[in-house]
Amino acid sequence: MGFAVALLLSACAGTSAPHPLVGAWEITIETPIGAMNANLNVNEDMSGELTSQDLGAAPLTGVTVNGDAVNFSTVVDAQGQSLTLVFAGTVVGDVMSGSFNTDF
């Protein structure tokens, strides 16, 4: 019995908490035509999805974290035009800030 308890404690000590980016976010994207609300969901395996009433749903690609820095991209349908959004920013605690860049 002592061996099983020691093994369990060792396994727990070796795991780390997921990055603060992991989870569900309600975000506001400031655009030239006004603010757009969206939801961002990021899984522990760094897959995820951006959804909004205006842009529909689009998977996240290239999700990376380096300390507080986060990056990802997604391709959305902007009124029939495919638009790549590239996010670069930070997550500190429960606050995400940054910007989306696009070639549009």
Side-chain angles (χ1 to χ4, degrees):
M1 181 70 168
F3 176 72
V5 171
L7 182 59
L8 176 62
L9 291 176
S10 175
C12 291
T15 62
S16 61
H19 189 275
L21 175 64
V22 172
W25 296 86
E26 293 179 2
I27 62 172
T28 301
I29 304 169
E30 297 294 335
T31 74
I33 59 172
M36 180 182 309
N37 295 319
N39 294 308
L40 179 69
N41 292 298
V42 181
N43 304 312
E44 286 189 40
D45 66 358
M46 294 298 141
S47 65
E49 183 176 58
L50 175 77
T51 58
S52 86
Q53 183 174 349
D54 299 312
L55 302 174
L60 302 180
T61 58
V63 180
T64 61
V65 296
N66 185 6
D68 294 339
V70 297
N71 297 279
F72 61 84
S73 61
T74 187
V75 178
V76 296
D77 179 358
Q79 299 177 348
Q81 180 176 336
S82 181
L83 187 63
T84 301
L85 302 176
V86 179
F87 181 81
T90 59
V91 173
V92 179
D94 62 354
V95 176
M96 179 188 307
S97 59
S99 61
F100 283 98
N101 290 313
T102 182
D103 57 1
F104 180 68

